[in-house]
Amino acid sequence: MSQAGSQPLWSPSPERIGASNLARFMAKVSRDAGVAVADYDDLHRFSVADPARFWSELWDFAGVVGDKGAEPYLVDADKMPGARFFPGARLNFAENCLQQRGAGDALVFWGEDKLRRRMSWDELRSEVGRLQAVFAEAGIAPGDRVGAVMPNCPQTTVAALTAASLGAVWSSCSPDFGVQGVLDRLAQVEPRVLVVCDGYYYGGKTIDIADKVAEIAAAMPSVERIVVVPYLGRAEALVARLNGAQAARVGRAVSWADAVDKRSDREPLFLRLPFTQPLYILFSSGTTGVPKCIVHTAGGLLLKHLSEHLLHTDVKPGDRLFYFTTLGWMMWNWLASGLAARATLLLYDGSPFHPTGHVLWDFAAAERCTQFGTSAKYIDALKKAGFAPARTHNLADLRAIMSTGSPLAEESFDYVYADIKRDLHLASISGGTDLCGCFVLGNPLKPVYRGEIQGPALGLDADVADEQARHMARGKGELVCRNPFPSMPIGFWNDSDGARYRAAYFERFPGLWHHGDFAEWTTHGGMIIHGRSDATLNPGGVRIGTAEIYRQVEQLPEIQESIVIGQDFAGDVRVVLFVVLKPGFVLDDALQARIRKQIKDGASPRHVPARIIPVVDIPRTKSGKITELAVRDVVMGREIKNKEALANPEALDLYRDLAELRS
């Protein structure tokens, strides 16, 4: 069991504890359930001992709009997977996000130094109603898919809520993805409607994606309607191009201005559907092929996110919630649910360092941000660049900072309290796309200790397990969850018998969720995440897969074969690509540049390796499969547990103690 920091860096005041949503919820549970809930640990024990009652209490506390149905609220609780929460419930996710009315801010948007927009609750509701008419005209019905290639801007939030209002399933990519990266994801789910932008801004550059959109649209025959958002002001030209390229389908594309802005106000309608109605399809990393399509439910994500926003992050009506994210990361979906907590969402798209490294703090100060979410990598970058928002910005309204994506280094904890704000709840959080939420996260009632996450999420029996799935009170083991929870996916798209779904999470430890992280309990009841235990890459907290990189590298004539790993380095994970060259070629600067460009254009900038290293052989199993895990373990100095499974174990020596990977 790790000691981590022996003294807390921050402790909540009695006044702050008393005013918290969590304290009010504990009092409600004590009163309604007749159980003694004196502190958070009591509440957590109750939440995993009686999950049906816990999630029912949260439904009522959060004021969820819908019909909860009759008890029991949890059926087949001993099945994992297979447990069913609220089998008789009916609700609509968008209806719960649009309860608030009035002229107050619902969305505030900055697009670097190029764009600004403010949208009230009434305006948001009206825009959803108008876009709903467009979707209805396209025949969108419950279960249909709506895809998006969009920046993190207000129109994206409108489109996602509109899809949810009709029971359609939302799935998205950010516009920096390459054509194949988009098709590997969205083409699998066959969207009927596609919402796209004409381009985006990053680092002060204007990036037109008309060619990319045209290629994507041509490759997805399922798409019957394309709505083009004028992010660069070039939507009309792209609409004309798309319609001209599809002569047999006149009117397939339409601009947002014509489809939405020119319509008169229209009150949205909300279809109340079962708790397990699909809401989002998110994507796995694609380690062993094209990304897996993870299907999340409206009821499951609504309750899970309400628990995290209201109880763990202490979001209150009128708070101003920010998370730096793109549409390629589940934190965008997490942020969107803040509307159900009646918070204003602060949306930003572009580089967090343009026009200067102050830009996100300019935004936070100007808009009185109350909860600021980002990645551990960003905090580390601020620290290394010498930024000190505490001395340059008025952050009087800021109560919490959330950090995820990779483990937050101990030095970054120190930096936040020294150079951002002293009286602040710093919540390092960890979970994933798989549950679209957190296993371990912040707790506004407990102290913050250097280098550790405060504790397990309410309703989730998160634990550290050994190779036999036994509880580990001390030492590093596998992060597992021992009980079902509402935001477990209902499965993978195109996985009719559920085999891939079960293999992903439940085969390693039958009856438990196995997440693929190395973890360790601390003496304070907190947890330290030591990184991924599987082959998924996780640079900057964005999970990406090796297969997506291989697909691009294999197109280069100079490359015989390759293997890619994630190396833990400087508090983050960097992508390292090893290549076996064909005879007569050398890995010079020009070839390295071509490799990086191929990967960037074909997959995304996040897939581009930090290091490219030539090797003469790649380790393989006896069945001929390359073994990324063994290479990664050698690079990280770990013991190789199963060398006998390799056909050429001597090849591992080629990856040991490489000078190129020490800097």
Side-chain angles (χ1 to χ4, degrees):
M1 183 175 290
S2 174
Q3 297 293 321
S6 59
Q7 297 297 320
L9 295 174
W10 175 84
S11 296
S13 67
E15 294 78 15
R16 185 163 179 158
I17 291 172
S20 68
N21 291 332
L22 191 49
R24 291 193 299 112
F25 182 69
M26 287 164 55
K28 170 179 167 53
V29 170
S30 294
R31 181 179 64 250
D32 295 353
V35 296
V37 181
D39 56 22
Y40 180 86
D41 293 337
D42 284 345
L43 181 62
H44 186 265
R45 280 189 289 270
F46 165 76
S47 74
V48 298
D50 192 353
R53 185 63 185 266
F54 167 76
W55 293 106
S56 174
E57 290 284 343
L58 177 65
W59 179 301
D60 297 340
F61 179 79
V64 171
V65 176
D67 179 2
K68 190 162 58 173
E71 294 191 67
Y73 298 133
L74 176 57
V75 176
D76 295 329
D78 59 337
K79 293 182 179 179
M80 193 166 175
R84 293 179 294 134
F85 288 87
F86 299 98
R90 298 187 75 83
L91 54 77
N92 185 278
F93 179 86
E95 184 178 15
N96 278 276
C97 289
L98 294 172
Q99 295 183 65
Q100 188 77 7
R101 304 289 187 99
D105 293 335
L107 307 175
V108 181
F109 168 65
W110 284 20
E112 291 195 344
D113 55 349
K114 303 289 195 302
L115 299 171
R116 299 283 189 275
R117 188 176 181 188
R118 193 176 299 272
M119 184 179 287
S120 73
W121 289 97
D122 285 349
E123 289 168 339
L124 175 59
R125 191 178 180 93
S126 172
E127 199 142 323
V128 168
R130 284 179 277 145
L131 184 60
Q132 190 181 74
V134 179
F135 285 7
E137 289 167 3
I140 293 299
D144 287 340
R145 277 77 63 208
V146 174
V149 183
M150 285 287 291
N152 180 21
C153 61
Q155 293 96 326
T156 306
T157 305
V158 169
L161 292 174
T162 303
S165 72
L166 296 171
V169 190
W170 173 264
S171 198
S172 63
C173 295
S174 56
D176 60 340
F177 273 63
V179 170
Q180 194 60 49
V182 173
L183 294 177
D184 282 350
R185 291 161 173 80
L186 297 186
Q188 287 194 77
V189 304
E190 299 179 304
R192 293 186 61 199
V193 169
L194 186 64
V195 181
V196 300
C197 59
D198 51 3
Y200 62 101
Y201 301 105
Y202 196 88
K205 297 179 181 178
T206 300
I207 302 170
D208 190 299
I209 64 167
D211 291 346
K212 184 191 301 184
V213 169
E215 192 172 343
I216 290 166
M220 288 204 293
S222 67
V223 174
E224 301 168 19
R225 171 71 75 182
I226 303 171
V227 182
V228 182
V229 173
Y231 198 79
L232 303 181
R234 305 173 184 177
E236 296 298 336
L238 179 52
V239 167
R241 177 177 176 179
L242 292 171
N243 286 335
Q246 300 289 331
R249 304 171 76 172
V250 176
R252 185 189 191 205
V254 63
S255 72
W256 187 279
D258 288 338
V260 179
D261 294 341
K262 293 180 180 179
R263 289 182 186 262
S264 58
D265 284 349
R266 182 179 183 274
E267 185 71 7
L269 304 174
F270 303 103
L271 296 181
R272 291 188 180 176
L273 298 162
F275 189 85
T276 54
Q277 174 68 23
L279 173 69
Y280 297 138
I281 297 176
L282 304 182
F283 300 100
S284 73
S285 57
T287 299
T288 57
V290 294
K292 299 179 183 69
C293 306
I294 304 170
V295 185
H296 285 292
T297 67
L301 284 199
L302 179 64
L303 281 188
K304 176 59 171 159
H305 290 174
L306 282 170
S307 74
E308 296 188 4
H309 290 153
L310 297 179
L311 304 182
H312 289 281
T313 314
D314 202 33
V315 175
K316 296 172 180 174
D319 275 357
R320 303 173 79 80
L321 176 65
F322 170 78
Y323 219 104
F324 179 69
T325 183
T326 72
L327 268 74
W329 195 15
M330 58 139 286
M331 294 312 300
W332 181 87
N333 307 81
W334 187 93
L335 175 63
S337 296
L339 295 169
R342 306 190 183 212
T344 298
L345 304 188
L346 305 182
L347 310 177
Y348 181 88
D349 196 83
S351 168
F353 291 97
H354 183 84
T356 74
H358 293 296
V359 65
L360 296 188
W361 301 103
D362 293 342
F363 190 23
E367 295 300 334
R368 308 182 314 281
C369 177
T370 50
Q371 292 89 7
F372 183 103
T374 185
S375 66
K377 186 175 183 179
Y378 171 76
I379 293 174
D380 183 59
L382 286 180
K383 175 173 69 71
K384 290 177 177 176
F387 288 101
R391 290 184 283 280
T392 56
H393 292 77
N394 180 358
L395 301 176
D397 295 288
L398 186 63
R399 304 199 309 270
I401 288 180
M402 299 83 72
S403 169
T404 192
S406 57
L408 187 64
E410 294 183 356
E411 296 79 10
S412 292
F413 278 76
D414 299 336
Y415 166 76
V416 167
Y417 284 110
D419 291 320
I420 297 182
K421 190 171 183 178
R422 181 70 195 91
D423 185 15
L424 182 89
H425 179 207
L426 174 57
S428 181
I429 64 179
S430 184
T433 302
D434 318 84
L435 69 157
C436 200
C438 300
F439 284 114
V440 286
L441 70 170
N443 180 342
L445 306 189
K446 282 191 171 185
V448 173
Y449 290 91
R450 188 174 189 255
E452 63 182 86
I453 300 172
Q454 286 176 286
L458 290 167
L460 278 71
D461 191 8
D463 196 10
V464 179
D466 66 13
E467 293 295 321
Q468 286 73 48
R470 297 172 301 202
H471 166 71
M472 294 178 65
R474 62 183 63 201
K476 300 175 185 177
E478 295 286 341
L479 177 62
V480 300
C481 189
R482 298 184 180 277
N483 71 325
F485 48 92
S487 68
M488 289 171 57
I490 54 172
F492 293 161
W493 196 260
N494 294 327
D495 181 30
S496 58
D497 62 357
R500 287 190 297 151
Y501 175 52
R502 290 190 298 274
Y505 310 116
F506 305 105
E507 282 189 354
R508 174 77 177 273
F509 301 123
L512 305 183
W513 175 292
H514 170 239
H515 196 56
D517 280 345
F518 279 121
E520 181 179 11
W521 288 113
T522 72
T523 56
H524 309 114
M527 188 177 284
I528 297 173
I529 303 293
H530 293 286
R532 297 298 300 166
S533 62
D534 60 18
T536 302
L537 307 176
N538 202 31
V542 179
R543 297 182 67 189
I544 62 176
T546 56
E548 296 182 271
I549 294 175
Y550 296 143
R551 280 197 293 275
Q552 302 307 319
V553 175
E554 287 169 0
Q555 298 179 45
L556 295 167
E558 301 92 340
I559 307 301
Q560 181 70 40
E561 58 182 346
S562 62
I563 188 167
V564 66
I565 65 163
Q567 179 197 14
D568 295 342
F569 186 80
D572 195 6
V573 174
R574 65 179 180 183
V575 178
V576 179
L577 176 67
F578 299 95
V579 294
V580 177
L581 300 172
K582 291 181 180 178
F585 292 100
V586 295
L587 187 65
D588 56 16
D589 291 346
L591 179 53
Q592 290 213 35
R594 285 200 299 278
I595 292 171
R596 289 190 165 95
K597 185 177 188 302
Q598 177 71 36
I599 294 170
K600 179 183 176 182
D601 292 347
S604 87
R606 295 181 185 84
H607 293 71
V608 176
R611 293 286 186 273
I612 305 175
I613 299 172
V615 291
V616 297
D617 198 8
I618 290 176
R620 299 179 180 278
T621 66
K622 289 182 171 63
S623 62
K625 295 180 180 179
I626 63 174
T627 173
E628 297 145 333
L629 295 178
V631 170
R632 188 198 61 189
D633 285 346
V634 168
V635 167
M636 297 304 300
R638 298 174 184 150
E639 177 186 356
I640 306 301
K641 299 177 181 179
N642 195 21
K643 283 187 178 180
E644 61 273 14
L646 299 178
N648 56 339
E650 68 280 357
L652 291 172
D653 294 333
L654 300 170
Y655 301 82
R656 198 180 309 278
D657 198 27
L658 295 175
E660 299 97 319
L661 297 182
R662 292 199 295 268
S663 63

